[in-house]
Amino acid sequence: MTTPRLLLQLDPDPQPSVFDAIVAVDAGVEHLLRHGGVEPEQVRDLVYGALFTRSPKELHNTAVFVGGASVVRGEEIFAAVQKTFFGPFRCSAMFDANGANTTAAAAVLAVEKHLALAGANALVLGGTGPVGQRVARLLGRMGAHVRIGSRDQAKADQVRARLTEQVPQASFAAVETGSRAALQAALDGASVVMAAGAPGAMLLAADVRRVGRSLQVAVDLNAVPPLGIEGVEAADKGVDRDGVIAYGAIGVGGLKMKIHTRAIQRLFETNDAVLDAEEIFTLGRELFAESAAGR
């Protein structure tokens, strides 16, 4: 009898994400164990329960998924998961707090189609949120000079410090975007702007966006009206908006879902895959390559 695929979903939020659960099932997971309100000190025993019920040769059919609304809390849980493994007792694990890694991968891949990111100036609005942090991290990895935008300078400073620690070779700056003047200053010289704010929060008005003469690509990851970048439609996918290539949340969302699904499937190919932002971005590139090859 074939050992069924089992996914242990660990979420620091009180209720585990329904979205993540549905994607897991659609990706072929046969049994889903969902735990909410998880704290790092609880992780060991939960993971032990998944590891010790199967022999090491069967553990490629067991995997762990860490979600939640907070990147920081999710990172703590994800680190605790990896510390639990030893010897042959390990299984694949994936981190995607609030869909941040899969969404960020799709967004950065969309920009990369139109613009060389190495040396480019990029502004991430809502840069202190889950998706914004992961977008900034990937852009930094790609060699862009990343401005982490927030209406709260202190929060932007905290995220910049954490990202600099994670990616010390990258160029990050924290910018306050609470006023029109501050937003215009943050946009000055940027060739890329990404809006990754909370649902229904308009972060960049059309008249301010048009002031950014250097802007080449705009990506809005908010699908809930009012949209994050005024004048960019949710379904935009490489559409010209006032001379700027625009992507909306739905335009990016199709690739995000493909990446998310592929990442879940990849967990069950081996028992030692660790999928964080960079690994998930690599999966996205593989999907691009397969699409170009007609597979």
Side-chain angles (χ1 to χ4, degrees), residues 14-30:
Q15 293 293 331
S17 167
V18 173
F19 181 97
D20 292 336
I22 292 173
V23 176
V25 171
D26 287 348
V29 171
E30 295 163 283

Side-chain angles (χ1 to χ4, degrees), residues 224-246:
V224 179
L227 302 184
I229 301 178
E230 188 177 24
V232 174
E233 299 296 328
D236 282 353
K237 189 176 182 180
V239 175
D240 188 309
R241 298 286 183 188
D242 304 315
V244 175
I245 298 169

Side-chain angles (χ1 to χ4, degrees), residues 72-154:
V72 175
R73 293 183 66 200
E75 285 177 339
E76 292 172 351
I77 290 173
F78 194 56
V81 169
Q82 294 172 74
K83 289 178 182 177
T84 303
F85 301 147
F86 64 95
F89 290 98
R90 62 187 64 247
C91 64
S92 294
M94 174 178 172
F95 176 48
D96 197 26
N98 211 31
N101 282 337
T102 48
T103 301
V108 173
L109 283 165
V111 173
E112 196 179 40
K113 289 171 61 179
H114 307 280
L115 179 71
L117 288 171
N121 292 317
L123 171 62
V124 183
L125 298 173
T128 60
V131 176
Q133 291 181 49
R134 270 357 206 197
V135 165
R137 173 167 156 167
L138 287 178
L139 288 171
R141 290 274 192 198
M142 299 297 292
H145 303 289
V146 186
R147 302 167 186 173
I148 302 163
S150 174
R151 293 171 179 170
D152 187 327
Q153 181 69 54

Side-chain angles (χ1 to χ4, degrees), residues 71-72 75 127 132-141 144-148 155-175 278:
V71 166
V72 175
E75 285 177 339
Q133 291 181 49
R134 270 357 206 197
V135 165
R137 173 167 156 167
L138 287 178
L139 288 171
R141 290 274 192 198
H145 303 289
V146 186
R147 302 167 186 173
I148 302 163
K155 288 184 179 180
D157 290 335
Q158 290 172 2
V159 171
R160 184 204 60 78
R162 187 163 63 252
L163 289 178
T164 298
E165 184 177 343
Q166 293 174 349
V167 193
Q169 73 274 23
S171 172
F172 298 111
V175 295
E278 291 75 17

Side-chain angles (χ1 to χ4, degrees), residues 39-49 51 80-81 83-84:
E39 298 292 340
E41 57 269 21
Q42 299 171 320
V43 166
R44 188 195 67 177
D45 290 343
L46 290 169
V47 174
Y48 277 175
L51 294 178
V81 169
K83 289 178 182 177
T84 303

